[in-house]
Amino acid sequence: SKKPFKIKYLSSDIGWFPGAKGWRFTLDNVNLMTQDAMWPRFHFSLKKTMNNQSVHWRMGASFLEIRDVQDFLCGSTQLKARWKTWLSRFNPSGEVSNLQVGFDGSFQKPSHFALKTALNHVSFRSWHKIPGIKNASAALAFNPSQGRLTLKTRNAVLNYPSLFKTPLPLGALQGEIRW
């Protein structure tokens, strides 16, 4: 089982902006220290707008520590057991910056999902037929109809036990994958 998510220190400028068709919540100049580390100062926002019968959600964060987010999610009662298992098996780490997420509908059944972010020094374990990686950096953008992963990595390691006997060091890895 994962350790509980603990906050040692937290300060922020908090904003709440209600409107006729929704609201916006902001955390600016956030200082956060978890049980593992002090995060760089960051910003977070969550916006909900309602038009006719639809609900639109937009979330942004200038920085997130993946391991701390994993601990937070796994300690939540809202995350389904299969996602907790998935996170536990992959054990992701690294940093997310300039995150922008948008979707329509509810958290349980989102539609028109879109994500854009930068991933820095990301690592995760291999599991079944999915290879693991250490120290990868990339930009990621996708929605249900298309996506793009732009790799720009130095000194990473690919772990793909079903293909290579030992982990494969990658001095430099650059490229773009589109779908």
Side-chain angles (χ1 to χ4, degrees):
S1 75
K2 295 297 292 177
K3 63 185 171 188
F5 179 74
K6 293 183 182 176
I7 295 174
K8 289 185 175 181
Y9 177 81
L10 174 64
S11 71
S12 176
D13 299 328
I14 300 172
W16 175 255
F17 308 95
K21 294 188 177 192
W23 49 261
R24 183 170 51 100
F25 172 74
T26 62
L27 297 173
D28 288 318
N29 301 311
V30 180
N31 286 307
L32 173 64
M33 179 182 278
T34 65
Q35 67 267 24
D36 295 321
M38 182 74 167
W39 287 26
R41 189 175 299 248
F42 70 100
H43 307 280
F44 173 85
S45 66
L46 180 63
K47 182 177 181 181
K48 177 182 178 182
T49 55
M50 296 166 281
N51 296 323
N52 300 326
Q53 299 295 328
S54 61
V55 178
H56 309 282
W57 294 91
R58 302 296 174 259
M59 193 264 296
S62 62
F63 177 87
L64 296 172
E65 177 63 50
I66 294 172
R67 188 155 309 200
D68 287 336
V69 172
Q70 175 185 351
D71 291 345
F72 176 78
L73 291 173
C74 286
S76 165
T77 59
Q78 299 302 303
L79 191 65
K80 293 185 180 192
R82 66 183 165 123
W83 288 108
K84 290 180 182 183
T85 299
W86 184 87
L87 284 170
S88 175
R89 299 275 200 249
F90 282 110
N91 194 29
S93 64
E95 301 169 353
V96 173
S97 60
N98 303 318
L99 175 66
Q100 298 173 22
V101 178
F103 64 91
D104 297 338
S106 70
F107 286 110
Q108 291 78 21
K109 286 192 135 189
S111 63
H112 305 291
F113 183 86
L115 180 141
K116 182 178 179 182
T117 193
L119 304 168
N120 304 301
H121 311 292
V122 170
S123 299
F124 55 86
R125 293 189 295 221
S126 62
W127 186 40
H128 294 297
K129 295 181 179 182
I130 301 171
I133 194 138
K134 288 184 182 176
N135 197 37
S137 295
L140 175 65
F142 68 89
N143 61 44
S145 62
Q146 63 184 356
R148 181 179 69 244
L149 179 68
T150 305
L151 298 161
K152 191 170 184 181
T153 296
R154 295 216 179 278
N155 301 318
V157 177
L158 178 68
N159 186 16
Y160 201 4
S162 63
L163 189 58
F164 305 110
K165 286 184 179 183
T166 60
L168 180 65
L170 304 170
L173 179 62
Q174 292 186 352
E176 187 171 87
I177 302 168
R178 290 180 180 255
W179 62 92

